[in-house]
């Protein structure tokens, strides 16, 4: 494997302001390291060859501070973006930290909270537009319940849709060049979250007034928590032209949201994912929503960030090698993989029915064949292991 493993901006790797600099606070313990200032964070990204940065409103501008102070914080951010050439690739709203969001934001039972949540989002959409961020992510961290009796789910989904339609209306009216990307998660911090998976969220998007303005920001950890294959979910999102953004990290199945370094756990699914993305038309950010281990310190947090990108590039190189390997081509043929791309019956017509009904099938022969998947899958493993 002689492809480069050092990232360049053209790779479009991006990190959230809340990721590399995460001070290690968790529900059981306080921060284990000092935070990184926004300016140092952006300079650090430029140094390691990352391309983009994303932010929550409250990461960038102090919550509740006077407008003049928030403006100064925003201007300082713009200055360091200019200096470094790092791009603001995505913006999002923090609708989960403040105690007022404890019952939800767009789906809180309290109408005042819902109105405040939309106002907070509109304010930050203006900031996103000013910074040229083309994607606005919505992760409904607090949109859910512990007590299922506390919310009529149909009312909650009505309010969710109402909020999304309103936000789309605003972006259209302002002629902002922004699309929304909704981020599903099954649970945590709520006991059960509304729009828990990629599938639920894509179905919900189809009910919206402007479905073309809204797509997905799926995350490795979130589908894996639900016991689902992230690869299959992303593949369907791509097929439905709904992959607007992606949160890359890693996760052990059946755990709390671990936000591990990309490629550190589910290496086989990660290989398939990278191969999928590299062979697709997706050209958005490869955005890492991950955190260094809580026991990391100092420059180690940048080793974490480099590791995310290094593994992505390594898997992309392995994917290219895999696709060029003549043994893989033979194994795919033995598995009849190309045949799945051939239409089965074509569009419905009476003539097609006639033709189908006259056909004789050798059922015994069809049952007796094999698909040689063992050889094919071993080639996947051999390639990942480099043997
Ligand atoms: C989580 C989520 C968040 C979101 C972020 C952007 O599980 O905490 O993944 O990190 O991605 O809030 O909306
Ligand atoms: Mn997450
Ligand atoms: Mn995320």
């Amino acid at each position: 494997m002689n492809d480069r493993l050092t990232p360049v901006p053209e790779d479009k790797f991006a990190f959230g302001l809340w990721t590399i600099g995460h001070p290690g606070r968790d529900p059981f313990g306080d921060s284990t390291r000092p935070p990184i200032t926004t300016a140092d964070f952006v300079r650090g990204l430029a140094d390691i060859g990352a391309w983009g940065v994303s932010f929550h409103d409250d990461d960038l501008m102090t919550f509740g501070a006077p407008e003049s102070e928030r403006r100064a914080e925003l201007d300082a951010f713009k200055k360091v973006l200019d200096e470094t050439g790092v791009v603001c690739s995505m913006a999002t709203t923090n609708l989960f930290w403040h105690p007022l969001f404890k019952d939800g934001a767009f789906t809180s039972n309290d109408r005042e909270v819902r109105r405040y949540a939309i106002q907070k989002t509109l304010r930050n959409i203006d900031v996103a537009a000013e910074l040229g961020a083309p994607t606005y992510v919505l992760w409904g961290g607090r949109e859910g319940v512990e007590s299922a009796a506390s919310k009529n789910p149909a009312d909650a989904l009505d309010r969710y849709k109402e909020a999304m339609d309103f936000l789309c209306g605003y972006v259209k009216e302002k002629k902002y060049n922004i699309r929304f990307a909704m981020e599903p998660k099954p649970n945590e911090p709520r006991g059960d979250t509304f729009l828990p998976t990629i599938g639920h969220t894509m179905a919900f998007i189809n009910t919206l007034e402007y479905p073309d303005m809204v797509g997905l920001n799926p995350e490795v950890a979130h589908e894996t928590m639900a016991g689902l294959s992230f690869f299959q979910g992303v593949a369907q999102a791509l097929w439905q032209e709904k992959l607007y953004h992606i949160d890359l990290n890693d996760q052990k199945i059946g755990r709390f949201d671990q936000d591990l370094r990309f490629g550190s756990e589910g290496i086989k699914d990660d290989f398939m994912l990278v191969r999928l993305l590299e062979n697709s038309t997706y050209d958005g950010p490869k955005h890492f929503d991950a955190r260094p281990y809580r026991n990391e310190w100092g420059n180690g947090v940048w080793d974490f960030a480099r590791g995310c990108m290094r593994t992505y590039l390594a898997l992309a190189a392995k994917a290219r090698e895999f696709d060029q390997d003549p043994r893989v081509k033979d194994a795919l043929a033995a598995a009849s993989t190309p045949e799945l791309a051939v239409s089965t019956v074509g569009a419905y017509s009476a003539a097609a029915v006639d033709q189908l009904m006259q056909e004789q099938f050798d059922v015994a022969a069809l049952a007796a064949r094999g698909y040689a998947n063992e050889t094919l899958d071993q080639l996947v493993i051999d390639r990942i292991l480099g043997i």
Side-chain angles (χ1 to χ4, degrees):
M1 197 173 68
N2 50 19
D3 294 71
R4 70 184 165 79
L5 294 176
T6 310
V8 293
E10 289 68 34
D11 293 317
K12 288 191 154 182
F13 289 126
F15 288 84
L17 274 185
W18 67 94
T19 58
I20 307 168
H22 190 272
R25 192 185 301 109
D26 74 10
F28 302 96
D30 214 340
S31 303
T32 56
R33 50 183 175 251
I36 303 175
T37 66
T38 302
D40 284 348
F41 185 85
V42 175
R43 286 190 196 109
L45 287 186
D47 286 347
I48 62 172
W51 159 84
V53 63
S54 62
F55 69 98
H56 299 86
D57 49 356
D58 300 346
D59 301 331
L60 192 59
M61 299 157 294
T62 309
F63 179 86
E67 249 343 280
S68 55
E69 196 180 310
R70 291 169 62 84
R71 172 44 63 184
E73 287 167 326
L74 176 55
D75 286 345
F77 184 55
K78 287 168 78 172
K79 193 160 162 269
V80 72
L81 291 179
D82 276 354
E83 269 168 38
T84 56
V86 172
V87 166
C88 178
S89 55
M90 179 270 269
T92 182
T93 332
N94 187 324
L95 297 174
F96 48 88
W97 190 261
H98 196 282
L100 99 148
F101 296 124
K102 62 188 150 196
D103 187 57
F106 300 153
T107 63
S108 170
N109 285 4
D110 190 319
R111 182 169 178 265
E112 290 284 294
V113 173
R114 299 199 300 268
R115 291 178 66 80
Y116 175 75
I118 294 175
Q119 184 199 73
K120 191 172 192 283
T121 306
L122 292 182
R123 284 223 169 104
N124 200 46
I125 288 174
D126 289 341
V127 175
E130 185 177 334
L131 292 167
T135 308
Y136 202 90
V137 162
L138 291 144
W139 169 58
R142 298 279 173 198
E143 316 291 7
V145 293
E146 284 73 44
S147 170
S150 69
K151 292 177 200 284
N152 176 345
D155 288 340
L157 291 168
D158 279 347
R159 298 291 77 74
Y160 222 146
K161 170 173 157 53
E162 183 183 0
M164 291 307 302
D165 289 345
F166 198 84
L167 298 178
C168 288
Y170 184 75
V171 164
K172 273 178 85 75
E173 172 91 6
K174 291 272 182 176
K175 299 196 163 50
Y176 289 154
N177 191 16
I178 287 178
R179 297 194 302 180
F180 294 99
M182 302 190 78
E183 181 176 342
K185 186 173 181 180
N187 60 278
E188 200 199 357
R190 297 313 297 263
D192 284 298
T193 314
F194 300 130
L195 310 183
T197 66
I198 289 174
H200 290 82
T201 310
M202 283 201 291
F204 172 81
I205 289 168
N206 284 336
T207 72
L208 299 178
E209 203 171 331
Y210 305 106
D212 292 347
M213 292 178 69
V214 186
L216 285 180
N217 177 39
E219 175 172 314
V220 178
H222 298 178
E223 299 298 301
T224 308
M225 285 165 73
L228 299 172
S229 160
F230 189 64
F231 165 78
Q232 299 293 346
V234 171
Q236 189 175 340
L238 279 165
W239 183 70
Q240 298 194 210
E241 297 180 4
K242 283 293 170 202
L243 190 71
Y244 286 14
H245 197 267
I246 194 162
D247 274 4
L248 299 171
N249 55 18
D250 226 326
Q251 173 78 24
K252 288 190 199 218
I253 208 158
R255 310 279 171 103
F256 62 94
D257 189 12
Q258 295 179 300
D259 291 333
L260 298 167
R261 187 179 78 256
F262 177 69
S264 62
E265 289 295 335
I267 194 75
K268 189 178 176 188
D269 216 43
D270 293 337
F271 169 80
M272 293 304 296
L273 172 73
V274 170
R275 177 169 176 251
L276 176 74
L277 291 174
E278 292 297 303
N279 291 339
S280 78
T281 54
Y282 178 74
D283 73 342
K286 268 93 82 175
H287 178 255
F288 297 103
D289 184 7
R291 296 162 182 190
Y293 297 137
R294 188 163 181 265
N295 65 3
E296 200 49 78
W297 182 259
N299 283 333
V301 304
W302 294 102
D303 293 339
F304 146 85
R306 280 193 203 92
C308 288
M309 299 186 289
R310 178 181 172 83
T311 303
Y312 186 99
L313 291 172
L315 291 175
K318 296 254 177 196
R320 282 191 292 278
E321 289 172 0
F322 181 80
D323 287 331
Q324 284 158 12
D325 185 339
R327 290 168 306 169
V328 170
K329 291 203 173 87
D330 290 347
L332 290 171
S336 298
T337 304
E339 196 176 321
L340 187 56
V342 179
S343 150
T344 310
V345 286
Y348 178 83
S349 71
V353 172
D354 282 349
Q355 201 192 332
L356 178 65
M357 299 318 275
Q358 278 162 31
E359 215 163 310
Q360 299 295 319
F361 294 98
D362 186 346
V363 170
L366 290 175
R369 70 159 286 186
Y371 290 84
N373 281 193
E374 291 291 355
T375 301
L376 175 62
D377 203 74
Q378 189 61 42
L379 287 167
V380 173
I381 296 299
D382 282 4
R383 182 56 63 187
I384 294 170
L385 294 177
I387 53 174

